Amino acid sequence: MAWDVLNVIGTIAFAMSGAVVALEVKYDIIGAYVLGLITAFGGGAIRNLFTGIPIIDLWQQSSLFIVAFITISIVILLPNNSVALLTKWSIFDSIGLSAFSVQGAMYAHSIDLPLFAVVFSAAITGAGGGIIRDVLAQKRPIVLRQDVYLLWAVFAGFIIGLDFLSKSYQFYILFIIT
Amino acid sequence: MAWDVLNVIGTIAFAMSGAVVALEVKYDIIGAYVLGLITAFGGGAIRNLFTGIPIIDLWQQSSLFIVAFITISIVILLPNNSVALLTKWSIFDSIGLSAFSVQGAMYAHSIDLPLFAVVFSAAITGAGGGIIRDVLAQKRPIVLRQDVYLLWAVFAGFIIGLDFLSKSYQFYILFIIT
Amino acid sequence: MAWDVLNVIGTIAFAMSGAVVALEVKYDIIGAYVLGLITAFGGGAIRNLFTGIPIIDLWQQSSLFIVAFITISIVILLPNNSVALLTKWSIFDSIGLSAFSVQGAMYAHSIDLPLFAVVFSAAITGAGGGIIRDVLAQKRPIVLRQDVYLLWAVFAGFIIGLDFLSKSYQFYILFIIT
């Protein structure tokens, strides 16, 4: 449950941030879809790769794909000046990052990976999509420039890896304070 | 059959475009080989990854490697001014993209992946190599800047995913109109 | 044995070079850890991917992770002007590259891959981490700009792929002359 909710929140936030960045650097409509989808699913894909889940499982998330697709379409249809406002996109980025890093850590922890791998999984699930987005838009990855982002992901990884949390509602709290 | 022909055409076109871009941004000879090979095989490697084929199968395409190697060598040996001409490389890029996207879609369709995955496979097989090439040459990926390219790949994915084509000659037609 | 020694040397050299580049382009502390770890482990991860070893095996190298972590911490704690000196980092880069390319070639050869794959494995293990580092720091990958680097890796791949060496001490010699 907690997993699904975090997944939807993270997907919407990242799809939004990817589409906004694409419009910001003057990519066109297809570029916005590509960047939105990559931002939303890239982190999870890399995490699957490194934790040994068949990457092909990605194709079973069709409802998430639709969610991302609709989100991006809305961003594209927004009038120009509201996109300019959204360009201060860091809010979406941090929402997406905390949702996905909590979820990545939960996942890695649930298959009993060592602590180091849990922390890595939190970091890559949370930050991976944004890093690929920034590379494709020729920007310096924001997570590497601003400490707070990744620190949070690492912190979430530690908390969950060390088993401090066990109930769903605690994951929500962790997400919200993040 | 159609598969093999498309493979050879796409490999030559992309090896060429990778080598030309490398020379354009003043990478040296090894750089031209690396970029040529990555452009030619990168898209297929990512597709294999996402559709669950063992990526190690790549090593069985030795004849294609040789084809790519010879193509790149020819580009390197060309006099400077003809490279300058080739720099208007978009022709190779679009040939490679259409050959590979048709082939990627055929492949994904043949293993019964859902429509969304067929479209993705067309797009990534066609555009993946070029995106990696542009990232390594520090350019904004051309497929994200120019709609037509990816639109074609997505279109080819839909047509094939929806099973409109079933005979070899139709794939050729699809390739040529592309 | 030779494998382990090369692994430790390559890991230290690359973790160092990644952290130095991160500081050079003004990433902060977390950025230095991320870039250091990626440079040290990225090449091996890609090699695992392409040679069919489960990428999850990466997590069993915990002693190497600790080595890399300590190395990066030292670089961060160094006074600014010594980092400025280290910025002429190419020494670490070439040490890491030769250690890892010899090791990558040994590995691919040991599982009986074809010659072409041995050469590729040498090149990607040696150069992969550095390429990802440069892309994330928005620099043109140095191995693509300077022939010598990759030539060495390819050369090491050929030598080992063709079975010219069979004793441990010969690997050390190959590493040192490189």
Side-chain angles (χ1 to χ4, degrees):
Chain A
M1 233 320 268
W3 168 280
D4 287 330
V5 174
L6 290 175
N7 234 340
V8 172
I9 296 177
T11 302
I12 293 178
F14 270 151
M16 212 148 195
S17 105
V20 168
V21 168
L23 297 178
E24 191 191 342
V25 298
K26 308 274 176 248
Y27 286 167
D28 48 29
I29 293 179
I30 291 279
Y33 281 109
V34 171
L35 226 54
L37 291 173
I38 285 178
T39 314
F41 297 100
I46 303 181
R47 183 212 44 221
N48 282 11
L49 193 62
F50 279 89
T51 51
I53 325 175
I55 210 165
I56 201 172
D57 284 6
L58 212 67
W59 304 117
Q60 274 138 36
Q61 310 177 298
S62 33
S63 51
L64 280 180
F65 277 116
I66 294 166
V67 167
F69 199 84
I70 295 172
T71 310
I72 299 167
S73 307
I74 293 173
V75 171
I76 292 173
L77 294 174
L78 285 176
N80 265 341
N81 50 347
S82 55
V83 171
L85 276 178
L86 285 175
T87 307
K88 311 179 157 67
W89 48 280
S90 27
I91 311 145
F92 303 112
D93 219 39
S94 36
I95 295 174
L97 194 141
S98 42
F100 273 176
S101 58
V102 171
Q103 186 238 33
M106 283 166 64
Y107 172 75
H109 186 55
S110 74
I111 58 170
D112 286 319
L113 287 179
L115 179 61
F116 195 93
V118 174
V119 171
F120 174 84
S121 175
I124 199 71
T125 315
I131 291 179
I132 304 178
R133 177 200 60 210
D134 290 344
V135 166
L136 291 184
Q138 292 256 311
K139 307 172 72 163
R140 292 217 165 141
I142 195 171
V143 287
L144 296 179
R145 279 180 291 137
Q146 306 205 352
D147 262 352
V148 270
Y149 287 100
L150 267 182
L151 262 187
W152 256 117
V154 168
F155 173 70
F158 266 110
I159 303 248
I160 292 170
L162 292 173
D163 226 350
F164 283 163
L165 302 181
S166 53
K167 305 235 168 45
S168 265
Y169 74 90
Q170 294 172 311
F171 291 113
Y172 288 113
I173 294 171
L174 184 60
F175 166 62
I176 288 161
I177 55 173
T178 319
Chain B
M1 235 319 269
W3 168 281
D4 288 329
V5 174
L6 290 175
N7 234 339
V8 172
I9 296 177
T11 303
I12 293 178
F14 270 151
M16 212 147 195
S17 105
V20 168
V21 168
L23 296 179
E24 190 191 341
V25 298
K26 307 274 175 249
Y27 286 166
D28 48 29
I29 293 179
I30 291 279
Y33 281 109
V34 171
L35 226 54
L37 290 174
I38 285 178
T39 313
F41 297 100
I46 303 180
R47 185 217 36 226
N48 282 11
L49 194 61
F50 279 89
T51 50
I53 325 175
I55 210 165
I56 202 175
D57 284 5
L58 212 67
W59 304 118
Q60 274 138 36
Q61 309 177 296
S62 32
S63 50
L64 280 180
F65 277 116
I66 295 167
V67 166
F69 199 84
I70 295 172
T71 310
I72 300 168
S73 306
I74 294 174
V75 171
I76 292 173
L77 294 174
L78 285 176
N80 265 342
N81 50 349
S82 54
V83 170
L85 275 178
L86 284 175
T87 306
K88 312 181 158 67
W89 48 280
S90 27
I91 312 146
F92 303 112
D93 219 40
S94 36
I95 294 174
L97 193 141
S98 42
F100 272 177
S101 58
V102 171
Q103 186 238 34
M106 284 166 64
Y107 172 76
H109 186 55
S110 74
I111 58 170
D112 286 320
L113 287 179
L115 178 61
F116 195 92
V118 173
V119 171
F120 174 84
S121 175
I124 198 70
T125 315
I131 290 179
I132 304 178
R133 177 201 61 211
D134 290 345
V135 165
L136 291 184
Q138 293 256 310
K139 306 173 72 164
R140 292 218 165 140
I142 195 171
V143 286
L144 297 179
R145 279 180 291 137
Q146 306 205 350
D147 263 352
V148 269
Y149 286 102
L150 268 181
L151 263 187
W152 255 116
V154 168
F155 173 71
F158 267 110
I159 300 249
I160 293 170
L162 293 173
D163 226 351
F164 283 163
L165 303 181
S166 54
K167 306 233 168 46
S168 265
Y169 74 89
Q170 293 172 311
F171 292 113
Y172 289 112
I173 295 172
L174 184 61
F175 166 63
I176 288 161
I177 55 173
T178 319
Chain C
M1 236 316 271
W3 168 281
D4 288 329
V5 173
L6 290 175
N7 234 339
V8 172
I9 296 177
T11 303
I12 293 178
F14 269 151
M16 212 148 196
S17 105
V20 168
V21 168
L23 297 179
E24 191 191 342
V25 297
K26 308 274 176 249
Y27 287 166
D28 49 28
I29 294 180
I30 291 279
Y33 280 109
V34 171
L35 226 54
L37 290 173
I38 285 178
T39 314
F41 297 100
I46 303 180
R47 186 217 36 226
N48 282 10
L49 194 61
F50 280 89
T51 51
I53 324 175
I55 210 165
I56 202 173
D57 284 6
L58 212 67
W59 304 118
Q60 275 139 34
Q61 309 177 298
S62 33
S63 50
L64 280 181
F65 276 116
I66 295 166
V67 166
F69 199 83
I70 295 173
T71 310
I72 300 168
S73 307
I74 294 175
V75 171
I76 291 174
L77 294 174
L78 284 177
N80 265 342
N81 50 348
S82 55
V83 170
L85 275 178
L86 285 174
T87 305
K88 311 180 158 68
W89 48 279
S90 26
I91 311 146
F92 303 112
D93 219 40
S94 36
I95 294 174
L97 194 141
S98 42
F100 273 177
S101 57
V102 171
Q103 186 238 34
M106 283 166 65
Y107 172 75
H109 186 54
S110 75
I111 58 170
D112 285 320
L113 289 179
L115 178 61
F116 195 92
V118 173
V119 172
F120 174 84
S121 174
I124 199 70
T125 315
I131 290 179
I132 303 178
R133 177 200 61 210
D134 290 345
V135 166
L136 292 183
Q138 292 256 309
K139 308 172 70 162
R140 293 218 165 140
I142 195 173
V143 287
L144 296 179
R145 279 180 291 138
Q146 305 205 351
D147 263 351
V148 269
Y149 287 102
L150 267 181
L151 262 187
W152 256 116
V154 168
F155 173 71
F158 267 110
I159 301 249
I160 293 169
L162 293 172
D163 226 349
F164 282 163
L165 303 181
S166 53
K167 306 238 167 43
S168 265
Y169 74 90
Q170 292 171 313
F171 291 113
Y172 288 112
I173 295 171
L174 184 60
F175 166 62
I176 289 161
I177 54 173
T178 318

